[in-house]
């Protein structure tokens, strides 16, 4: 799952990726399977991986990217251990979602769409999570909802996620 | 046949037709937005909803098939209300910039809003904020104005087989763009502009260079000259409001003079020249065992396509530059010298039915005069706008003649504008040069028309010359794959990027569809028949050019100024 730890870098990964692609060479129909297995291997689907898959299966990069961005399951960025999803639905937007994002950025040091260098947090923005009464809201790891968040509460909330 | 009733009128139509097809027969107008005949039939926008008796919900007429005994109502108050709602939802996420939009008064969304009498938007929706991509010299993508109809994807994927665009993300975040939101300039988009031709709104448009031309015309130090592509004279009419198929050659020349151009020249002249260079190149390849089949190289979208997708076949391309670029190179050398003008003072403008020409004139290979050979390219649409800005009304302009010498041409140069025209022009010349005999009829009907791949064998002396003609890049692919597989025994292939050839180019007036293409093609051959000279090798100005300057086809000067080389590019680089 994790990034390859040795120094062989992309070469070894490329070989393993090709093993996933090989059975589907020239077969556009295998796209979803290949993407799923590739994400299992690498943890996410960076551009070089998508290019290799596109060329292997004989489809355009546009098609691969279209599928990758359609399914929330696929990720374009390396994922941290914990996913912080800040709601940008109308209610949260009005109740200060922008301030919330800014405070989170100040604490963890990355923008939405990025992962902290220590792989602890990935920050992202999502549509209404159905907790409008608790706006502004954030959901962590897809299950813990935190509502009516004030900037000073942020370090305390994050402490729960090592 | 299937029998049904639409708005109380009986109609019979073939099985498999849609409600929309049937409605057209009885003259019931159903609004559409995502639907584009033959190109995009996906039932996405739902503006075409109609009421079908017995159905639980409204059905989209553009995709719903007819059924025996069906009773359809196209205009009930509740249908109209539902359509209005769809429209309001689209508009709630649309920048209201009509006054400053290139598509003002030629926009399907704007027309619908007007027809439905939309006067306020009840939803103050969140607006998607995606940056404008103006990286390409030819096109601008403004996703804020995109209605997600996917016509551009269909044309780029199915007709051109480039697949430069895809739908990305879901729901509200959906974006129509290249992967990773890459810039159009940095990927395999061939700049053909077919997407801009089918887009119902201003979300993909040509890059407007009209102001650059006005600035040059206002500069007294500049010697501003213009060349007009073969197809432009059968397109300008539409751009200023006339019927498709109108021919405005003389009026266009007169109008360009009134705009202040110092010389009005014709790309048809260098189209004739192309035939002499390319025809001789073909004969040389046939007699000396060069790479065959040889493929035409006048269409810059096609060149880029070959560089990206078939880099292994680049040796098959003729080394001839396109007529536009031959003209550019000669204007700042031969013409400058003859006329005693400093080439540094020449500003060379080109009017084209094409967006890819804007890209072509900036290629690094296109500076062989020592300057940028062609300074700026305007599409037919932009020329139409210039005429409007200057208050020029084509129906009130006299017919004037092009200037000599670079405005002298033949019917062979003119037919370059239609698919098969380059081939026909080449055959007229190659036949006479090789056999020394005069053609009985100059009309090679086999070359003409909209068929995707046309093939013919023409007896030239002892040699049966096998040719193929393709229009639209998807059709080119079919022939190229044959070459790759070693199954193509053609001598010469004409490839045009756009369906129908240049008369259907990405810079053509909007709308451009099959019917309109056919009308422009008819007009093109009418122009050809009207010409006194109809064979390129009979063009006296071309003969003089060789005598005074170039010496001979494929000679030293030709190689320097009129021929070029190509760059393998690959995909996903
Ligand atoms: S795309 Fe159409 S509706 Fe939108 S701003 Fe332009 S003209 Fe107006
Ligand atoms: S210009 Fe042509 S190749 Fe590029 S996106 Fe448009 S249709 Fe596709
Ligand atoms: S860019 Fe134009 S053609 Fe493409 S999906 Fe958007 S509105 Fe439709
Ligand atoms: S708007 Fe944030 S939870 Fe609904
Ligand atoms: S026009 Fe029929 S669904 Fe869009």
């Amino acid at each position: 799952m994790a990034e390859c730890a040795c120094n062989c870098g992309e070469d070894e990964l490329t070989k393993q990726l090709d093993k996933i692609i090989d059975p589907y060479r020239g077969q556009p129909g295998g796209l979803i399977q290949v993407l799923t297995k590739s994400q299992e291997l690498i943890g996410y689907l960076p551009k070089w991986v998508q290019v290799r898959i596109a060329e292997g299966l004989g489809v355009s990069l546009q098609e691969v990217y279209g599928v990758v961005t359609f399914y929330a399951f696929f990720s374009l960025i390396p994922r941290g251990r914990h996913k912080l999803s800040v709601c940008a639905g109308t209610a949260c937007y009005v109740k200060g979602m922008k301030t919330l994002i800014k405070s989170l950025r100040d604490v963890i040091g990355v923008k939405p769409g990025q992962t902290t260098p220590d792989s602890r947090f990935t920050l992202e923005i999502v549509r209404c999570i159905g907790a409008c009464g608790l706006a502004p809201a954030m959901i962590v790891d897809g299950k813990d909802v935190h509502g009516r968040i004030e900037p000073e509460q942020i370090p305390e909330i994050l402490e729960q996620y090592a | 046949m299937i029998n049904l009733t639409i708005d109380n009128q009986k109609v019979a139509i073939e099985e498999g037709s849609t409600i929309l097809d049937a409605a057209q027969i009885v003259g019931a107008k159903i609004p559409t937005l995502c639907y584009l005949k033959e190109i995009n039939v996906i039932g996405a926008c739902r503006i075409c909803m109609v009421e079908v008796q017995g159905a639980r919900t409204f059905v989209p007429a553009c995709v719903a098939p007819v059924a025996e005994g069906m009773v359809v109502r196209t205009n009930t108050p509740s249908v109209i209300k539902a359509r209005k709602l769809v429209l309001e939802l689209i508009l709630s996420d649309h920048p209201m910039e009509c006054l400053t939009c290139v598509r003002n008064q030629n926009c399907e969304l704007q027309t619908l809003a007007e027809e439905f009498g939309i006067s306020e938007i009840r939803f103050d929706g969140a607006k998607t904020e995606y940056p404008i991509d103006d990286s390409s010299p030819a096109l601008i993508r403004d996703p804020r104005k995109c209605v997600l109809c996917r016509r551009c994807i269909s044309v780029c994927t199915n007709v051109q087989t480039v697949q430069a665009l895809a739908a990305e993300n879901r729901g509200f975040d959906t974006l129509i763009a290249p992967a990773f939101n890459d810039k159009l300039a940095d990927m395999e988009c061939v700049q053909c502009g077919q997407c801009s031709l089918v887009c119902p709104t201003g979300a993909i448009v040509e890059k407007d260079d009209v102001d650059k031309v006005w600035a040059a015309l206002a500069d007294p130090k500049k010697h501003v000259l213009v060349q007009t592509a073969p197809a432009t004279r059968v397109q300008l009419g539409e751009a200023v409001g006339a019927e498709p198929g109108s021919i405005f050659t003389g009026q266009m020349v007169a109008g360009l003079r009134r705009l202040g151009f110092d010389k009005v020249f014709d790309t048809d002249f260098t189209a004739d020249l192309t035939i002499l260079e390319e025809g001789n190149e073909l004969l040389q390849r046939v007699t000396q065992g060069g790479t065959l089949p040889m493929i035409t190289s006048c269409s810059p979208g096609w060149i880029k396509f070959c560089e990206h997708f078939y880099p292994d076949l680049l040796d098959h391309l003729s080394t001839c530059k396109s007529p536009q670029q031959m003209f550019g190179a000669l204007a700042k050398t031969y013409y400058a010298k003859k006329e005693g003008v400093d080439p540094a003072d020449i500003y060379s403008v080109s009017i084209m039915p094409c967006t890819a020409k804007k890209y072509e004139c900036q290629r690094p290979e296109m500076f062989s005069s020592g300057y940028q050979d062609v300074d700026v390219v305007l599409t037919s649409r932009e020329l139409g706008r210039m005429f409007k800005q200057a208050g020029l009304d084509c129906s009130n302009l006299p017919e004037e003649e092009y200037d000599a010498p670079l405005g002298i041409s033949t019917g062979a140069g003119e037919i370059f504008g239609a698919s098969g025209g380059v081939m026909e022009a080449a055959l007229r010349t190659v036949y006479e040069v090789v056999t020394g005999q005069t053609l009985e009829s100059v009309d090679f009907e086999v070359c003409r028309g909209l068929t995707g791949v046309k093939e013919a064998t023409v007896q030239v002396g002892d040699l049966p010359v096998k040719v193929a003609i393709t229009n639209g890049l998807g059709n080119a692919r079919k022939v190229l794959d044959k070459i790759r597989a070693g199954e193509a025994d053609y001598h010469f292939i004409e490839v045009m990027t756009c369906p129908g050839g240049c008369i259907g180019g990405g810079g053509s007036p909007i709308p451009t569809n099959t019917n309109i293409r056919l009308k422009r093609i008819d007009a093109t051959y009418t122009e050809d028949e009207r010409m006194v000279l109809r064979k390129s090798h009979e063009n006296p100005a071309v003969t003089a050019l060789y005598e005074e300057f170039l010496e001979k086809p494929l000679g030293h000067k030709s190689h320097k100024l009129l021929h070029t080389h190509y760059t393998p590019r690959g995909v996903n680089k």
Side-chain angles (χ1 to χ4, degrees):
Chain A
M1 274 296 280
E3 298 263 358
C4 185
C6 64
N7 283 330
C8 62
E10 287 188 2
D11 282 351
E12 184 53 35
L13 267 184
T14 309
K15 271 191 213 144
Q16 295 181 30
L17 179 63
D18 283 347
K19 272 200 204 128
I20 295 174
I21 296 173
D22 278 335
Y24 299 96
R25 251 178 225 288
Q27 296 177 32
L31 183 56
I32 302 258
Q33 286 96 312
V34 172
L35 286 172
T36 312
K37 288 186 186 159
S38 305
Q39 176 156 304
E40 266 167 31
L41 172 72
I42 296 160
Y44 69 113
L45 296 165
K47 187 168 182 177
W48 72 268
V49 171
Q50 293 188 41
V51 166
R52 212 164 172 89
I53 292 174
E55 283 168 3
L57 270 57
V59 298
S60 76
L61 182 60
Q62 281 42 258
E63 198 167 329
V64 176
Y65 185 79
V67 171
V68 169
T69 56
F70 185 83
Y71 294 104
F73 170 75
F74 295 122
S75 175
L76 287 169
I77 52 166
R79 281 193 176 143
R81 291 191 296 283
H82 302 289
K83 185 165 72 177
L84 311 176
S85 313
V86 177
C87 175
T90 312
C92 293
Y93 192 89
V94 174
K95 291 264 172 123
M97 154 269 183
K98 280 207 167 149
T99 320
L100 175 55
I101 292 277
K102 194 180 166 297
S103 318
L104 275 166
R105 283 183 62 173
D106 289 346
V107 177
I108 64 173
V110 294
K111 290 191 278 190
Q114 292 181 341
T115 297
T116 54
D118 62 0
S119 296
R120 186 169 162 202
F121 295 115
T122 299
L123 181 59
E124 63 171 28
I125 292 181
V126 293
R127 298 282 143 198
C128 178
I129 56 175
C132 309
L134 299 174
M138 163 171 92
I139 184 162
V140 180
D141 293 339
K143 52 184 191 348
D144 307 347
V145 176
H146 299 268
R148 299 208 187 96
I149 306 175
E150 298 291 338
E152 349 24 291
Q153 299 173 306
I154 289 174
E156 196 185 315
I157 296 175
L158 296 184
E159 250 173 46
Q160 309 166 30
Y161 304 96
Chain B
M1 292 304 255
I2 304 283
N3 300 291
L4 65 159
T5 315
I6 298 182
D7 296 343
N8 299 321
Q9 303 179 76
K10 292 211 178 320
V11 50
I13 191 167
E14 257 173 69
E15 191 174 348
S17 309
T18 62
I19 296 178
L20 184 65
D21 297 328
Q24 269 154 8
I25 297 181
V26 293
K29 192 179 163 216
I30 300 173
T32 55
L33 187 57
C34 67
Y35 171 82
L36 192 61
K37 196 175 175 200
E38 289 157 9
I39 296 197
N40 200 45
V41 187
I42 60 172
C45 75
R46 307 272 146 168
I47 196 87
C48 64
M49 289 178 287
V50 294
E51 214 176 277
V52 174
Q53 212 172 69
R56 275 183 301 117
T57 53
F58 295 145
V59 304
C62 71
V63 286
V66 291
E68 190 60 39
M70 207 179 219
V71 178
V72 180
R73 308 262 323 262
T74 67
N75 283 312
T76 63
S78 51
V79 162
I80 291 173
K81 198 169 153 210
R83 287 185 192 145
K84 238 176 145 164
L85 181 68
V86 166
L87 207 50
E88 281 182 278
L89 284 172
I90 294 174
L91 289 169
S92 72
D93 184 21
H94 194 87
M96 304 299 176
E97 294 173 3
C98 298
L99 286 182
T100 51
C101 182
V102 169
R103 293 293 296 272
N104 192 16
Q105 307 223 11
N106 186 17
C107 168
E108 293 179 40
L109 182 60
Q110 193 187 43
T111 306
L112 284 170
E114 193 266 332
E115 284 174 0
F116 280 87
I118 304 280
S119 54
E120 59 161 347
I121 310 296
R122 285 172 297 160
F123 314 98
D124 185 20
K127 299 251 195 282
T128 30
E129 283 301 335
Y130 284 114
I132 291 172
D133 175 6
D134 61 358
S135 62
S136 143
L139 295 156
I140 296 181
R141 245 181 13 87
D142 184 350
R144 299 171 312 138
K145 294 180 185 168
C146 174
V147 298
L148 307 179
C149 72
R150 292 163 168 77
R151 288 179 182 182
C152 55
I153 300 181
S154 295
V155 89
C156 190
T157 304
N158 304 329
V159 179
Q160 299 299 55
T161 62
V162 173
Q163 282 194 278
L165 302 167
E168 294 152 19
N169 309 324
R170 280 159 299 162
F172 179 78
D173 289 319
T174 308
L175 171 68
I176 310 295
F180 295 91
N181 209 358
D182 279 350
K183 304 254 180 242
L184 274 185
D186 303 336
M187 42 103 56
E188 53 270 26
C189 161
V190 303
Q191 317 284 328
C192 69
Q194 284 299 315
C195 49
S196 71
L197 209 50
V198 300
C199 180
T201 71
I204 305 186
V205 296
E206 68 281 5
K207 192 168 259 182
D208 189 306
D209 288 314
V210 166
D211 285 346
K212 288 186 193 160
V213 177
W214 282 126
L217 289 169
D219 184 344
K221 287 201 300 290
K222 290 266 182 259
H223 184 75
V224 190
L225 44 86
V226 60
Q227 57 169 315
T228 62
T232 52
R233 64 214 73 197
V234 301
Q235 292 193 334
L236 176 65
E238 288 167 57
V240 295
E243 283 301 304
S246 314
I247 302 173
F248 276 153
T249 315
Q251 292 90 336
M252 176 165 74
V253 174
L256 288 166
R257 284 213 179 93
R258 280 159 184 67
L259 291 175
F261 287 97
D262 294 299
K263 292 283 174 179
V264 181
F265 290 139
D266 202 353
T267 317
D268 288 17
F269 166 77
T270 33
D272 281 334
L273 180 63
T274 301
I275 290 300
L276 291 185
E277 291 290 328
E278 202 164 19
N280 279 290
E281 187 185 357
L282 177 64
L283 292 175
Q284 200 179 62
R285 289 194 191 204
V286 171
T287 53
Q288 298 177 8
T291 306
L292 288 175
M294 184 174 94
I295 314 179
T296 57
S297 55
C298 346
S299 182
W302 147 238
I303 299 295
K304 196 164 185 281
F305 182 82
C306 193
E307 290 175 328
H308 284 296
F309 298 99
Y310 293 86
D312 50 317
L313 299 186
L314 286 172
D315 284 345
H316 289 268
L317 289 181
S318 159
T319 60
C320 285
K321 283 183 187 169
S322 69
Q324 160 173 294
Q325 294 305 141
M326 286 198 185
F327 181 97
L330 289 173
K332 293 191 182 181
T333 54
Y334 170 67
Y335 168 78
K337 206 163 144 211
K338 201 175 160 80
E339 199 68 13
V341 192
D342 183 348
D345 292 334
I346 293 182
Y347 193 79
S348 188
V349 179
S350 153
I351 313 294
M352 293 282 144
C354 180
T355 51
K357 292 275 167 196
K358 288 177 183 275
Y359 152 80
E360 180 186 42
C361 80
Q362 303 192 351
R363 285 183 63 127
E365 302 90 353
M366 301 304 164
F367 287 69
S368 42
S369 62
Y371 305 87
Q372 181 168 336
D373 296 330
V374 171
D375 291 287
V376 72
V377 174
L378 298 185
T379 58
S380 299
R381 300 198 282 269
E382 289 161 276
L383 182 65
R385 289 202 284 275
M386 261 189 113
F387 269 53
K388 282 190 192 162
Q389 286 167 12
L392 291 172
D393 174 4
C394 279
S395 53
N396 278 325
L397 285 169
E399 293 190 42
E400 292 181 8
E401 297 287 329
Y402 283 97
D403 288 308
L406 308 188
I408 296 174
S409 69
T410 73
E414 174 52 27
I415 59 176
F416 265 57
S419 163
V422 177
M423 183 60 71
E424 180 167 347
L427 289 172
R428 290 179 188 176
T429 287
V430 168
Y431 182 89
E432 296 205 347
V433 169
V434 171
T435 64
Q437 289 164 0
T438 307
L439 275 170
E440 270 173 42
S441 162
V442 298
D443 297 325
F444 288 85
E445 297 285 346
V446 285
C447 296
R448 304 182 182 182
L450 281 179
T451 311
V453 180
K454 292 168 268 187
E455 294 175 310
T457 306
V458 179
Q459 195 66 33
V460 176
D462 302 331
L463 183 70
V465 177
K466 290 197 70 173
V467 304
I469 297 157
T470 73
N471 67 102
L473 292 171
N475 291 314
R477 230 178 233 281
K478 295 178 192 158
V479 172
L480 295 166
D481 287 341
K482 271 200 195 170
I483 301 180
R484 251 188 195 163
E487 291 163 6
D489 59 348
Y490 309 110
H491 295 96
F492 193 27
I493 302 171
E494 176 197 301
V495 173
M496 287 296 153
T497 304
C498 294
C502 311
I503 52 90
S508 307
I510 298 171
T512 289
N513 54 39
T514 303
N515 246 332
I516 293 177
R517 284 186 167 96
L518 286 169
K519 288 188 180 151
R520 294 182 193 148
I521 289 174
D522 276 351
T524 300
Y525 292 108
T526 306
E527 268 296 84
D528 170 32
E529 278 165 30
R530 217 180 49 100
M531 304 288 279
V532 183
L533 300 173
R534 297 180 64 193
K535 301 163 200 163
S536 298
H537 56 286
E538 291 177 350
N539 184 329
V542 171
T543 310
L545 169 67
Y546 279 114
E547 278 166 7
E548 295 167 19
F549 186 67
L550 292 172
E551 291 168 19
K552 60 177 200 295
L554 309 182
H556 176 67
K557 278 214 182 91
S558 291
H559 268 290
K560 195 168 157 281
L561 295 174
L562 310 182
H563 291 257
T564 185
H565 57 273
Y566 309 105
T567 312
R569 295 179 201 273
V571 288
N572 304 328
K573 289 292 179 295

